Amino acid sequence: MKVLGFAAHSATASLEPFSFERRTPREDDVVIEILYCGVCHTDLHLARDHGGYTTYPIVPGHEIIGRIRQVGAQVTRFRADQLVGVGCMVDSCQQCQPCLHGWEQNCLEGSTFTYNSKDRLDGSATFGGYSQNIVVREKFVLALPAGLDPAGAAPLLCAGITTWSPLLHWGVGAGTKVAVIGLGGLGHMALKLAKALGADVSLFTRSEGKSEDAIRLGADHVVVSSDPEQMGAVTGQFDVIIDTVPYDHDINPYVPTLELEGVLVLVGYMGPLSTPVNAGLLVSGRKAVTGSFIGGVKETQQMLDFCGEKGIVSDVEIIPIQKIDEAFDRMSRSDVKYRFVIEMSSLSV
Ligand code: NAP
Ligand code: ZN
Ligand code: ZN
């Protein structure tokens, strides 16, 4: 199937129109016409090869909302015309312990990602949501709850599940105190979800100007992380901290703000930290620094259903695909309110 998308051809090139072939749909596949695709900071990391493992050309995009155009003969849960979502994964082995447990993101054979990955059966390159259509194994297609704005729901497929999974795993709810570091795509979803779960929610930000928005998005308190006095005032406060900062940074100033046995969960930066973590800060108070990677298919559906019940969507700025480079530049400067979403009809004009 011939598909038009936008691709980067090198780490320094602008994204540009790119015509490519999607695999022929199989019997357990769903063919989706993409309506909206969120712009995640991971798209920027991968397009610019920050991690050193990008294969070009790359068509980014893993916050996909679209309408089903075709289903294979073995598809049972979906039918044509339904609105659905696709997130960061399109396949996994389905047999290892993590997969059987519903943790496909931790598949021991490696999950198949929506882009910059290889199809498990024919080895063809996967291309993401900055495109007209996508072909996805039914198991990895999510139902969009009725009533959710499709553009606003797109970022739930990555920013939503990536923050939901650690919030649930570490038992966030009424009576817990949660802090979020960084108010961008993941950060604003973390505020909304933690608030809806009943927690007392704080934001750590470098950007004083985001305080008013943070309160509107669900924060009860805002701490400007560059202000030592404000940092000192929250010593020993938080049960869970979700750290969404996309680049190397010193986490030591945040550890003392954890409550006894509190956890700081890294979900943003995934490389080596250049400032070593002071073990003394962890030992006294049995504090932990840990991480979390997106979420499984089942918990993604649970998160979407929760958002459907509570009417939670992302705050989005809708752009035509031709503005993607500008969106990447603004995202690099932390100037996003609070997720860019591409309107895919702009591709055909
Ligand atoms: P984003 O929209 O750009 O937001 C990141 C926020 O972090 C910024 O708005 C800014 O908030 C703060 N920030 C940025 N640079 C910083 C720096 N150098 N030091 C301190 N704070 C900084 O990005 P995003 O889409 O939310 O993604 C965040 C990270 O999560 C990316 O690295 C992405 O690749 C990663 N990610 C991980 C997973 C996973 O499974 N673990 C899934 C999706 C994305 P303030 O202005 O408030 O300080
Ligand atoms: Zn993402
Ligand atoms: Zn597996």
Side-chain angles (χ1 to χ4, degrees), residues 129-178:
Y130 295 7
S131 61
Q132 293 169 314
N133 294 294
I134 191 162
V135 178
V136 183
R137 189 176 177 182
E138 174 188 20
K139 165 85 213 238
F140 287 78
V141 176
L142 288 308
L144 183 69
L148 283 187
D149 169 55
L156 300 178
L157 276 306
C158 175
I161 182 59
T162 301
T163 49
W164 170 264
S165 183
L167 291 172
L168 269 275
H169 182 80
W170 278 284
V172 165
T176 45
K177 285 190 164 186
V178 177

mmCIF file of all heavy atoms in Angstrom, residues 129-178:
data_model
loop_
_atom_site.group_PDB
_atom_site.id
_atom_site.type_symbol
_atom_site.label_atom_id
_atom_site.label_comp_id
_atom_site.label_asym_id
_atom_site.label_seq_id
_atom_site.Cartn_x
_atom_site.Cartn_y
_atom_site.Cartn_z
ATOM 1 N N GLY A 129 3.298 7.709 12.665
ATOM 2 C CA GLY A 129 2.012 8.360 12.445
ATOM 3 C C GLY A 129 2.037 9.682 11.697
ATOM 4 O O GLY A 129 0.983 10.256 11.463
ATOM 5 N N TYR A 130 3.217 10.187 11.324
ATOM 6 C CA TYR A 130 3.244 11.408 10.512
ATOM 7 C C TYR A 130 2.971 10.976 9.065
ATOM 8 O O TYR A 130 3.788 11.152 8.160
ATOM 9 C CB TYR A 130 4.599 12.108 10.577
ATOM 10 C CG TYR A 130 5.042 12.675 11.919
ATOM 11 C CD1 TYR A 130 4.328 12.455 13.088
ATOM 12 C CD2 TYR A 130 6.202 13.453 12.008
ATOM 13 C CE1 TYR A 130 4.762 12.980 14.301
ATOM 14 C CE2 TYR A 130 6.632 13.988 13.213
ATOM 15 C CZ TYR A 130 5.914 13.737 14.362
ATOM 16 O OH TYR A 130 6.348 14.244 15.555
ATOM 17 N N SER A 131 1.809 10.373 8.854
ATOM 18 C CA SER A 131 1.500 9.759 7.556
ATOM 19 C C SER A 131 -0.010 9.563 7.422
ATOM 20 O O SER A 131 -0.748 9.723 8.386
ATOM 21 C CB SER A 131 2.229 8.417 7.438
ATOM 22 O OG SER A 131 1.812 7.541 8.459
ATOM 23 N N GLN A 132 -0.425 9.161 6.224
ATOM 24 C CA GLN A 132 -1.867 9.065 5.952
ATOM 25 C C GLN A 132 -2.531 7.842 6.571
ATOM 26 O O GLN A 132 -3.670 7.909 7.017
ATOM 27 C CB GLN A 132 -2.082 8.983 4.428
ATOM 28 C CG GLN A 132 -1.711 10.239 3.688
ATOM 29 C CD GLN A 132 -1.684 9.989 2.190
ATOM 30 O OE1 GLN A 132 -1.129 9.006 1.708
ATOM 31 N NE2 GLN A 132 -2.293 10.898 1.443
ATOM 32 N N ASN A 133 -1.839 6.705 6.523
ATOM 33 C CA ASN A 133 -2.428 5.433 6.952
ATOM 34 C C ASN A 133 -1.417 4.618 7.716
ATOM 35 O O ASN A 133 -0.211 4.793 7.535
ATOM 36 C CB ASN A 133 -2.824 4.585 5.723
ATOM 37 C CG ASN A 133 -3.931 5.218 4.938
ATOM 38 O OD1 ASN A 133 -5.043 5.345 5.415
ATOM 39 N ND2 ASN A 133 -3.613 5.652 3.732
ATOM 40 N N ILE A 134 -1.938 3.688 8.530
ATOM 41 C CA ILE A 134 -1.035 2.740 9.195
ATOM 42 C C ILE A 134 -1.717 1.379 9.252
ATOM 43 O O ILE A 134 -2.954 1.297 9.325
ATOM 44 C CB ILE A 134 -0.599 3.256 10.595
ATOM 45 C CG1 ILE A 134 0.540 2.411 11.156
ATOM 46 C CG2 ILE A 134 -1.775 3.357 11.557
ATOM 47 C CD1 ILE A 134 1.319 3.082 12.293
ATOM 48 N N VAL A 135 -0.905 0.332 9.208
ATOM 49 C CA VAL A 135 -1.401 -1.048 9.275
ATOM 50 C C VAL A 135 -0.904 -1.621 10.599
ATOM 51 O O VAL A 135 0.302 -1.650 10.844
ATOM 52 C CB VAL A 135 -0.841 -1.889 8.101
ATOM 53 C CG1 VAL A 135 -1.328 -3.334 8.194
ATOM 54 C CG2 VAL A 135 -1.217 -1.263 6.765
ATOM 55 N N VAL A 136 -1.831 -2.054 11.462
ATOM 56 C CA VAL A 136 -1.454 -2.479 12.817
ATOM 57 C C VAL A 136 -2.167 -3.772 13.194
ATOM 58 O O VAL A 136 -3.361 -3.932 12.942
ATOM 59 C CB VAL A 136 -1.833 -1.393 13.857
ATOM 60 C CG1 VAL A 136 -1.382 -1.795 15.254
ATOM 61 C CG2 VAL A 136 -1.207 -0.059 13.494
ATOM 62 N N ARG A 137 -1.425 -4.667 13.819
ATOM 63 C CA ARG A 137 -2.011 -5.894 14.353
ATOM 64 C C ARG A 137 -3.108 -5.531 15.362
ATOM 65 O O ARG A 137 -2.893 -4.693 16.241
ATOM 66 C CB ARG A 137 -0.887 -6.674 15.039
ATOM 67 C CG ARG A 137 -1.252 -8.040 15.447
ATOM 68 C CD ARG A 137 -0.038 -8.744 16.009
ATOM 69 N NE ARG A 137 -0.428 -10.052 16.466
ATOM 70 C CZ ARG A 137 0.384 -10.923 17.050
ATOM 71 N NH1 ARG A 137 1.645 -10.614 17.231
ATOM 72 N NH2 ARG A 137 -0.058 -12.091 17.455
ATOM 73 N N GLU A 138 -4.254 -6.190 15.232
ATOM 74 C CA GLU A 138 -5.434 -5.848 16.052
ATOM 75 C C GLU A 138 -5.126 -5.719 17.544
ATOM 76 O O GLU A 138 -5.598 -4.807 18.221
ATOM 77 C CB GLU A 138 -6.501 -6.940 15.857
ATOM 78 C CG GLU A 138 -7.707 -6.765 16.751
ATOM 79 C CD GLU A 138 -8.661 -7.944 16.707
ATOM 80 O OE1 GLU A 138 -8.245 -9.049 16.303
ATOM 81 O OE2 GLU A 138 -9.822 -7.754 17.067
ATOM 82 N N LYS A 139 -4.318 -6.633 18.045
ATOM 83 C CA LYS A 139 -3.989 -6.677 19.475
ATOM 84 C C LYS A 139 -3.445 -5.332 19.993
ATOM 85 O O LYS A 139 -3.568 -5.008 21.167
ATOM 86 C CB LYS A 139 -2.962 -7.813 19.660
ATOM 87 C CG LYS A 139 -2.212 -7.844 20.950
ATOM 88 C CD LYS A 139 -2.982 -8.555 22.029
ATOM 89 C CE LYS A 139 -2.693 -7.938 23.370
ATOM 90 N NZ LYS A 139 -2.177 -8.680 24.415
ATOM 91 N N PHE A 140 -2.825 -4.547 19.094
ATOM 92 C CA PHE A 140 -2.176 -3.295 19.505
ATOM 93 C C PHE A 140 -3.003 -2.054 19.168
ATOM 94 O O PHE A 140 -2.511 -0.934 19.253
ATOM 95 C CB PHE A 140 -0.751 -3.224 18.927
ATOM 96 C CG PHE A 140 0.175 -4.170 19.640
ATOM 97 C CD1 PHE A 140 0.152 -5.535 19.345
ATOM 98 C CD2 PHE A 140 0.997 -3.729 20.662
ATOM 99 C CE1 PHE A 140 0.960 -6.431 20.046
ATOM 100 C CE2 PHE A 140 1.802 -4.603 21.369
ATOM 101 C CZ PHE A 140 1.785 -5.964 21.066
ATOM 102 N N VAL A 141 -4.265 -2.294 18.792
ATOM 103 C CA VAL A 141 -5.168 -1.178 18.471
ATOM 104 C C VAL A 141 -6.034 -0.909 19.701
ATOM 105 O O VAL A 141 -6.535 -1.833 20.336
ATOM 106 C CB VAL A 141 -6.045 -1.531 17.240
ATOM 107 C CG1 VAL A 141 -7.042 -0.419 16.953
ATOM 108 C CG2 VAL A 141 -5.156 -1.797 16.030
ATOM 109 N N LEU A 142 -6.184 0.363 20.056
ATOM 110 C CA LEU A 142 -6.937 0.765 21.247
ATOM 111 C C LEU A 142 -8.264 1.397 20.842
ATOM 112 O O LEU A 142 -8.316 2.139 19.870
ATOM 113 C CB LEU A 142 -6.144 1.811 22.053
ATOM 114 C CG LEU A 142 -4.901 1.415 22.843
ATOM 115 C CD1 LEU A 142 -5.180 0.243 23.757
ATOM 116 C CD2 LEU A 142 -3.697 1.145 21.980
ATOM 117 N N ALA A 143 -9.313 1.078 21.615
ATOM 118 C CA ALA A 143 -10.620 1.686 21.334
ATOM 119 C C ALA A 143 -10.665 3.078 21.960
ATOM 120 O O ALA A 143 -10.265 3.264 23.119
ATOM 121 C CB ALA A 143 -11.716 0.805 21.915
ATOM 122 N N LEU A 144 -11.142 4.050 21.201
ATOM 123 C CA LEU A 144 -11.264 5.417 21.732
ATOM 124 C C LEU A 144 -12.635 5.566 22.389
ATOM 125 O O LEU A 144 -13.654 5.392 21.731
ATOM 126 C CB LEU A 144 -11.118 6.428 20.589
ATOM 127 C CG LEU A 144 -11.156 7.889 21.029
ATOM 128 C CD1 LEU A 144 -9.913 8.253 21.821
ATOM 129 C CD2 LEU A 144 -11.295 8.808 19.820
ATOM 130 N N PRO A 145 -12.690 5.882 23.687
ATOM 131 C CA PRO A 145 -13.989 6.035 24.341
ATOM 132 C C PRO A 145 -14.812 7.138 23.673
ATOM 133 O O PRO A 145 -14.258 8.149 23.236
ATOM 134 C CB PRO A 145 -13.625 6.438 25.776
ATOM 135 C CG PRO A 145 -12.215 6.047 25.954
ATOM 136 C CD PRO A 145 -11.570 6.120 24.609
ATOM 137 N N ALA A 146 -16.117 6.920 23.613
ATOM 138 C CA ALA A 146 -17.002 7.915 22.999
ATOM 139 C C ALA A 146 -16.898 9.223 23.775
ATOM 140 O O ALA A 146 -16.693 9.222 24.992
ATOM 141 C CB ALA A 146 -18.434 7.396 23.030
ATOM 142 N N GLY A 147 -17.002 10.319 23.089
ATOM 143 C CA GLY A 147 -17.058 11.610 23.768
ATOM 144 C C GLY A 147 -15.721 12.299 23.917
ATOM 145 O O GLY A 147 -15.673 13.483 24.243
ATOM 146 N N LEU A 148 -14.621 11.585 23.728
ATOM 147 C CA LEU A 148 -13.313 12.249 23.850
ATOM 148 C C LEU A 148 -12.963 12.926 22.523
ATOM 149 O O LEU A 148 -13.066 12.308 21.461
ATOM 150 C CB LEU A 148 -12.209 11.247 24.201
ATOM 151 C CG LEU A 148 -12.118 10.768 25.641
ATOM 152 C CD1 LEU A 148 -10.865 9.920 25.836
ATOM 153 C CD2 LEU A 148 -12.141 11.924 26.637
ATOM 154 N N ASP A 149 -12.520 14.175 22.602
ATOM 155 C CA ASP A 149 -12.101 14.890 21.402
ATOM 156 C C ASP A 149 -10.921 14.138 20.769
ATOM 157 O O ASP A 149 -9.915 13.903 21.444
ATOM 158 C CB ASP A 149 -11.681 16.313 21.798
ATOM 159 C CG ASP A 149 -10.985 17.014 20.653
ATOM 160 O OD1 ASP A 149 -11.588 17.080 19.570
ATOM 161 O OD2 ASP A 149 -9.836 17.455 20.835
ATOM 162 N N PRO A 150 -11.036 13.737 19.494
ATOM 163 C CA PRO A 150 -9.981 12.903 18.894
ATOM 164 C C PRO A 150 -8.603 13.580 18.883
ATOM 165 O O PRO A 150 -7.591 12.915 19.121
ATOM 166 C CB PRO A 150 -10.466 12.657 17.465
ATOM 167 C CG PRO A 150 -11.899 13.033 17.437
ATOM 168 C CD PRO A 150 -12.162 13.976 18.573
ATOM 169 N N ALA A 151 -8.540 14.883 18.613
ATOM 170 C CA ALA A 151 -7.228 15.559 18.582
ATOM 171 C C ALA A 151 -6.629 15.593 19.991
ATOM 172 O O ALA A 151 -5.443 15.314 20.199
ATOM 173 C CB ALA A 151 -7.379 16.966 18.029
ATOM 174 N N GLY A 152 -7.443 15.919 20.977
ATOM 175 C CA GLY A 152 -6.970 15.993 22.359
ATOM 176 C C GLY A 152 -6.615 14.627 22.921
ATOM 177 O O GLY A 152 -5.795 14.510 23.842
ATOM 178 N N ALA A 153 -7.240 13.587 22.374
ATOM 179 C CA ALA A 153 -6.985 12.227 22.878
ATOM 180 C C ALA A 153 -5.687 11.660 22.333
ATOM 181 O O ALA A 153 -5.098 10.755 22.940
ATOM 182 C CB ALA A 153 -8.149 11.305 22.517
ATOM 183 N N ALA A 154 -5.202 12.170 21.177
ATOM 184 C CA ALA A 154 -4.007 11.575 20.560
ATOM 185 C C ALA A 154 -2.834 11.465 21.553
ATOM 186 O O ALA A 154 -2.240 10.388 21.693
ATOM 187 C CB ALA A 154 -3.614 12.357 19.308
ATOM 188 N N PRO A 155 -2.503 12.538 22.297
ATOM 189 C CA PRO A 155 -1.346 12.440 23.203
ATOM 190 C C PRO A 155 -1.525 11.453 24.356
ATOM 191 O O PRO A 155 -0.551 11.093 25.022
ATOM 192 C CB PRO A 155 -1.207 13.875 23.736
ATOM 193 C CG PRO A 155 -1.826 14.729 22.665
ATOM 194 C CD PRO A 155 -2.991 13.922 22.179
ATOM 195 N N LEU A 156 -2.752 10.998 24.589
ATOM 196 C CA LEU A 156 -2.932 9.993 25.642
ATOM 197 C C LEU A 156 -2.175 8.713 25.285
ATOM 198 O O LEU A 156 -1.739 7.979 26.159
ATOM 199 C CB LEU A 156 -4.422 9.666 25.826
ATOM 200 C CG LEU A 156 -5.338 10.831 26.213
ATOM 201 C CD1 LEU A 156 -6.788 10.351 26.309
ATOM 202 C CD2 LEU A 156 -4.896 11.451 27.540
ATOM 203 N N LEU A 157 -1.997 8.475 23.973
ATOM 204 C CA LEU A 157 -1.403 7.210 23.523
ATOM 205 C C LEU A 157 0.074 7.069 23.887
ATOM 206 O O LEU A 157 0.607 5.978 23.897
ATOM 207 C CB LEU A 157 -1.589 7.055 22.005
ATOM 208 C CG LEU A 157 -2.930 6.485 21.517
ATOM 209 C CD1 LEU A 157 -3.247 5.157 22.179
ATOM 210 C CD2 LEU A 157 -4.081 7.436 21.693
ATOM 211 N N CYS A 158 0.750 8.199 24.170
ATOM 212 C CA CYS A 158 2.114 8.074 24.713
ATOM 213 C C CYS A 158 2.248 8.883 26.004
ATOM 214 O O CYS A 158 2.501 8.323 27.060
ATOM 215 C CB CYS A 158 3.190 8.479 23.713
ATOM 216 S SG CYS A 158 4.824 8.448 24.481
ATOM 217 N N ALA A 159 2.040 10.199 25.928
ATOM 218 C CA ALA A 159 2.210 11.023 27.143
ATOM 219 C C ALA A 159 1.276 10.533 28.252
ATOM 220 O O ALA A 159 1.653 10.504 29.426
ATOM 221 C CB ALA A 159 1.931 12.493 26.813
ATOM 222 N N GLY A 160 0.068 10.133 27.874
ATOM 223 C CA GLY A 160 -0.903 9.674 28.873
ATOM 224 C C GLY A 160 -0.463 8.378 29.532
ATOM 225 O O GLY A 160 -0.304 8.302 30.745
ATOM 226 N N ILE A 161 -0.194 7.359 28.727
ATOM 227 C CA ILE A 161 0.130 6.046 29.318
ATOM 228 C C ILE A 161 1.485 6.074 30.032
ATOM 229 O O ILE A 161 1.663 5.417 31.061
ATOM 230 C CB ILE A 161 0.077 4.909 28.256
ATOM 231 C CG1 ILE A 161 0.356 3.546 28.902
ATOM 232 C CG2 ILE A 161 1.013 5.147 27.088
ATOM 233 C CD1 ILE A 161 -0.587 3.144 30.010
ATOM 234 N N THR A 162 2.425 6.859 29.541
ATOM 235 C CA THR A 162 3.761 6.880 30.167
ATOM 236 C C THR A 162 3.709 7.458 31.579
ATOM 237 O O THR A 162 4.515 7.105 32.437
ATOM 238 C CB THR A 162 4.741 7.691 29.282
ATOM 239 O OG1 THR A 162 4.785 7.075 27.999
ATOM 240 C CG2 THR A 162 6.135 7.749 29.873
ATOM 241 N N THR A 163 2.764 8.338 31.820
ATOM 242 C CA THR A 163 2.658 8.895 33.168
ATOM 243 C C THR A 163 1.634 8.097 34.001
ATOM 244 O O THR A 163 1.802 7.927 35.197
ATOM 245 C CB THR A 163 2.285 10.391 33.111
ATOM 246 O OG1 THR A 163 1.170 10.587 32.233
ATOM 247 C CG2 THR A 163 3.453 11.207 32.580
ATOM 248 N N TRP A 164 0.615 7.570 33.352
ATOM 249 C CA TRP A 164 -0.401 6.761 34.056
ATOM 250 C C TRP A 164 0.220 5.506 34.669
ATOM 251 O O TRP A 164 -0.057 5.164 35.825
ATOM 252 C CB TRP A 164 -1.486 6.361 33.035
ATOM 253 C CG TRP A 164 -2.486 5.353 33.489
ATOM 254 C CD1 TRP A 164 -2.450 3.992 33.274
ATOM 255 C CD2 TRP A 164 -3.709 5.594 34.218
ATOM 256 N NE1 TRP A 164 -3.571 3.397 33.805
ATOM 257 C CE2 TRP A 164 -4.349 4.353 34.388
ATOM 258 C CE3 TRP A 164 -4.309 6.749 34.716
ATOM 259 C CZ2 TRP A 164 -5.573 4.231 35.048
ATOM 260 C CZ3 TRP A 164 -5.528 6.620 35.379
ATOM 261 C CH2 TRP A 164 -6.143 5.371 35.543
ATOM 262 N N SER A 165 1.057 4.816 33.901
ATOM 263 C CA SER A 165 1.584 3.530 34.356
ATOM 264 C C SER A 165 2.351 3.657 35.681
ATOM 265 O O SER A 165 2.058 2.926 36.636
ATOM 266 C CB SER A 165 2.438 2.907 33.250
ATOM 267 O OG SER A 165 2.886 1.641 33.648
ATOM 268 N N PRO A 166 3.306 4.592 35.811
ATOM 269 C CA PRO A 166 3.980 4.715 37.112
ATOM 270 C C PRO A 166 3.056 5.244 38.217
ATOM 271 O O PRO A 166 3.206 4.856 39.378
ATOM 272 C CB PRO A 166 5.138 5.681 36.842
ATOM 273 C CG PRO A 166 4.799 6.381 35.569
ATOM 274 C CD PRO A 166 3.948 5.433 34.777
ATOM 275 N N LEU A 167 2.112 6.098 37.882
ATOM 276 C CA LEU A 167 1.192 6.596 38.921
ATOM 277 C C LEU A 167 0.426 5.420 39.525
ATOM 278 O O LEU A 167 0.283 5.292 40.741
ATOM 279 C CB LEU A 167 0.210 7.625 38.350
ATOM 280 C CG LEU A 167 0.796 8.983 37.934
ATOM 281 C CD1 LEU A 167 -0.252 9.827 37.197
ATOM 282 C CD2 LEU A 167 1.334 9.749 39.142
ATOM 283 N N LEU A 168 -0.066 4.520 38.642
ATOM 284 C CA LEU A 168 -0.822 3.370 39.137
ATOM 285 C C LEU A 168 0.084 2.388 39.865
ATOM 286 O O LEU A 168 -0.241 1.893 40.944
ATOM 287 C CB LEU A 168 -1.514 2.657 37.961
ATOM 288 C CG LEU A 168 -2.931 3.112 37.617
ATOM 289 C CD1 LEU A 168 -3.938 2.375 38.494
ATOM 290 C CD2 LEU A 168 -3.128 4.621 37.742
ATOM 291 N N HIS A 169 1.258 2.129 39.253
ATOM 292 C CA HIS A 169 2.173 1.137 39.822
ATOM 293 C C HIS A 169 2.585 1.523 41.235
ATOM 294 O O HIS A 169 2.694 0.656 42.110
ATOM 295 C CB HIS A 169 3.410 0.985 38.942
ATOM 296 C CG HIS A 169 4.364 -0.048 39.445
ATOM 297 N ND1 HIS A 169 4.164 -1.395 39.226
ATOM 298 C CD2 HIS A 169 5.486 0.049 40.204
ATOM 299 C CE1 HIS A 169 5.138 -2.072 39.817
ATOM 300 N NE2 HIS A 169 5.947 -1.223 40.415
ATOM 301 N N TRP A 170 2.824 2.814 41.478
ATOM 302 C CA TRP A 170 3.262 3.234 42.820
ATOM 303 C C TRP A 170 2.102 3.733 43.677
ATOM 304 O O TRP A 170 2.302 4.480 44.629
ATOM 305 C CB TRP A 170 4.429 4.229 42.721
ATOM 306 C CG TRP A 170 5.715 3.463 42.528
ATOM 307 C CD1 TRP A 170 6.405 2.771 43.484
ATOM 308 C CD2 TRP A 170 6.432 3.250 41.307
ATOM 309 N NE1 TRP A 170 7.503 2.154 42.929
ATOM 310 C CE2 TRP A 170 7.552 2.426 41.606
ATOM 311 C CE3 TRP A 170 6.236 3.666 39.996
ATOM 312 C CZ2 TRP A 170 8.454 2.012 40.635
ATOM 313 C CZ3 TRP A 170 7.151 3.261 39.030
ATOM 314 C CH2 TRP A 170 8.243 2.442 39.356
ATOM 315 N N GLY A 171 0.902 3.280 43.316
ATOM 316 C CA GLY A 171 -0.246 3.425 44.219
ATOM 317 C C GLY A 171 -0.724 4.839 44.465
ATOM 318 O O GLY A 171 -1.212 5.157 45.556
ATOM 319 N N VAL A 172 -0.612 5.699 43.466
ATOM 320 C CA VAL A 172 -1.065 7.086 43.659
ATOM 321 C C VAL A 172 -2.595 7.152 43.728
ATOM 322 O O VAL A 172 -3.299 6.521 42.949
ATOM 323 C CB VAL A 172 -0.524 7.968 42.501
ATOM 324 C CG1 VAL A 172 -1.239 9.305 42.444
ATOM 325 C CG2 VAL A 172 0.975 8.163 42.680
ATOM 326 N N GLY A 173 -3.088 7.893 44.679
ATOM 327 C CA GLY A 173 -4.525 8.068 44.852
ATOM 328 C C GLY A 173 -4.766 9.067 45.962
ATOM 329 O O GLY A 173 -3.862 9.836 46.327
ATOM 330 N N ALA A 174 -5.980 9.046 46.514
ATOM 331 C CA ALA A 174 -6.299 9.971 47.602
ATOM 332 C C ALA A 174 -5.317 9.734 48.744
ATOM 333 O O ALA A 174 -5.035 8.594 49.103
ATOM 334 C CB ALA A 174 -7.728 9.734 48.063
ATOM 335 N N GLY A 175 -4.767 10.801 49.290
ATOM 336 C CA GLY A 175 -3.845 10.669 50.433
ATOM 337 C C GLY A 175 -2.393 10.605 50.024
ATOM 338 O O GLY A 175 -1.516 10.671 50.884
ATOM 339 N N THR A 176 -2.085 10.471 48.716
ATOM 340 C CA THR A 176 -0.674 10.488 48.323
ATOM 341 C C THR A 176 -0.291 11.872 47.806
ATOM 342 O O THR A 176 -1.115 12.612 47.280
ATOM 343 C CB THR A 176 -0.340 9.434 47.237
ATOM 344 O OG1 THR A 176 -1.335 9.460 46.236
ATOM 345 C CG2 THR A 176 -0.236 8.053 47.796
ATOM 346 N N LYS A 177 0.990 12.147 47.965
ATOM 347 C CA LYS A 177 1.528 13.421 47.471
ATOM 348 C C LYS A 177 2.456 13.135 46.304
ATOM 349 O O LYS A 177 3.439 12.404 46.450
ATOM 350 C CB LYS A 177 2.295 14.131 48.589
ATOM 351 C CG LYS A 177 1.387 14.750 49.633
ATOM 352 C CD LYS A 177 2.206 15.638 50.545
ATOM 353 C CE LYS A 177 1.308 16.561 51.345
ATOM 354 N NZ LYS A 177 2.087 17.528 52.127
ATOM 355 N N VAL A 178 2.114 13.723 45.171
ATOM 356 C CA VAL A 178 2.856 13.474 43.933
ATOM 357 C C VAL A 178 3.476 14.773 43.458
ATOM 358 O O VAL A 178 2.841 15.827 43.535
ATOM 359 C CB VAL A 178 1.890 12.966 42.831
ATOM 360 C CG1 VAL A 178 2.622 12.775 41.511
ATOM 361 C CG2 VAL A 178 1.239 11.667 43.259
#
